[in-house]
Amino acid sequence: RKEVEQDPGPFNVPEGATVAFNCTYSNSASQSFFWYRQDCRKEPKLLMSVYSSGNEDGRFTAQLNRASQYISLLIRDSKLSDSATYLCVVNPLNSGAGSYQLTFGKGTKLSVIP
Amino acid sequence: SQTIHQWPATLVQPVGSPLSLECTVEGTSNPNLYWYRQAAGRGLQLLFYSVGIGQISSEVPQNLSASRPQDRQFILSSKKLLLSDSGFYLCAMTAHTYEQYFGPGTRLTVT
C-alpha cells in the first residue's frame, strides 16, 4: 500500500459546484496532515492544515478520520481560480528526529469549467 | 515572514555537464531545508534534507549531492547530469514545524 494515495482525477466540475477530494494514508502513527495546492508549473503552496476535529477556511473544509486513516477536502461554490492540483500530505513514521519530513501524495487535478 | 529564493528559474544543460542549483532563505534562522524533484506528471520526490550547517541526509541514492555551507543556503549539485535528471527542482523549508514552504523552483531540462 502506498504511503499516501489520492484519486488522480481529473475532476471537471462547473463553476459553483461542490467537489470533494479523498486521501488515504498507510501510517497509523502519522500526526500531521495538510492539503497543498499546486498550480501548473508552479511550486506547491500550503492550503490548510488538517486538525482532528475538522477545520474550515472560507469555502474549504478539511476533515480527518484517524480510525479509517482518511483525509478529505471539500470545496464549496467552486471558482475558476480553484483549478489546480491538490496534494494530500502527511508526516511519515520514519522521519528522522527533528527532520519534519513530509510525504506527499501525487495529487488530484481539479478543473473548474465556466 | 519567510522567503525562499531559488535560481536559476530555468536551465537547459547537456548530458554529462555539471549542475549547481542554489536556494537561500530569508526571515528565519536555523531552518530545516529540503530538496525535492518533481518529474513531469509525477509526485514530489524528496532528495535531500538538512537540519543544520554541514548536515545533509540523502533519501535517494543517485548522482546528485547537496551541501549547506551557511545556515540559510542550500545547494544541489551534480558532477555529470543524466537525461533522467530532468525535472522541476524545489527547495523547501520548515521553521521547526511540519508546515513546509516552497521556493519558486528551477525547471531543469537535460538534453
Side-chain angles (χ1 to χ4, degrees), chain B residues 38-75:
Chain B
Q38 189 173 39
R42 307 283 296 276
L44 285 166
Q45 180 186 33
L46 179 63
L47 302 175
F48 301 94
Y49 70 89
S50 171
V51 298
I53 296 174
Q55 301 179 62
I56 307 295
S57 295
S58 174
E59 290 295 302
V60 182
Q62 56 208 324
N63 68 321
L64 299 172
S65 62
S67 62
R68 187 169 175 176
Q70 300 181 44
D71 180 46
R72 287 173 280 184
Q73 183 185 30
F74 203 22
I75 297 172

Side-chain angles (χ1 to χ4, degrees), chain B:
Chain B
S1 64
Q2 310 98 325
T3 304
I4 305 174
H5 300 281
Q6 284 188 249
W7 62 89
T10 59
L11 192 59
V12 180
Q13 292 283 98
V15 168
S17 63
L19 174 74
S20 181
L21 302 181
E22 189 163 346
C23 169
T24 58
V25 176
E26 294 179 352
T28 189
S29 59
N30 196 28
N32 284 3
L33 298 174
Y34 309 82
W35 278 113
Y36 290 89
R37 178 172 60 204
Q38 189 173 39
R42 307 283 296 276
L44 285 166
Q45 180 186 33
L46 179 63
L47 302 175
F48 301 94
Y49 70 89
S50 171
V51 298
I53 296 174
Q55 301 179 62
I56 307 295
S57 295
S58 174
E59 290 295 302
V60 182
Q62 56 208 324
N63 68 321
L64 299 172
S65 62
S67 62
R68 187 169 175 176
Q70 300 181 44
D71 180 46
R72 287 173 280 184
Q73 183 185 30
F74 203 22
I75 297 172
L76 182 70
S77 304
S78 174
K79 291 182 179 177
K80 285 186 177 181
L81 283 169
L82 306 172
L83 284 175
S84 57
D85 291 325
S86 293
F88 191 34
Y89 287 82
L90 291 154
C91 178
M93 62 150 284
T94 60
H96 309 291
T97 69
Y98 278 103
E99 294 177 348
Q100 284 193 15
Y101 297 93
F102 288 83
T106 295
R107 196 160 298 277
L108 171 66
T109 303
V110 182
T111 59

Side-chain angles (χ1 to χ4, degrees), chain A:
Chain A
R1 182 178 178 183
K2 294 179 183 175
E3 289 189 67
V4 179
E5 288 199 70
Q6 296 182 249
D7 181 341
F11 284 51
N12 300 314
V13 303
E15 271 186 291
T18 295
V19 60
F21 303 135
N22 303 320
C23 167
T24 57
Y25 59 95
S26 60
N27 181 354
S28 61
S30 297
Q31 295 295 320
S32 300
F33 309 90
F34 307 92
W35 283 100
Y36 278 71
R37 168 194 170 126
Q38 186 173 22
D39 292 288
C40 186
R41 300 179 68 83
K42 297 288 189 180
E43 75 274 21
K45 293 186 177 177
L46 179 64
L47 180 64
M48 59 197 303
S49 303
V50 186
Y51 303 120
S52 295
S53 55
N55 48 301
E56 186 173 312
D57 183 1
R59 297 182 293 109
F60 299 84
T61 300
Q63 292 196 313
L64 169 64
N65 184 322
R66 285 187 185 274
S68 300
Q69 295 177 211
Y70 172 96
I71 307 162
S72 66
L73 176 69
L74 184 77
I75 305 175
R76 292 181 299 278
D77 188 23
S78 299
K79 311 290 185 191
L80 294 176
S81 57
D82 294 333
S83 296
T85 297
Y86 290 83
L87 308 175
C88 176
V89 183
V90 306
N91 71 301
L93 173 66
N94 61 344
S95 64
S99 68
Y100 301 102
Q101 291 181 61
L102 297 175
T103 298
F104 287 75
K106 292 187 177 181
T108 299
K109 186 173 181 180
L110 170 67
S111 293
V112 181
I113 304 163

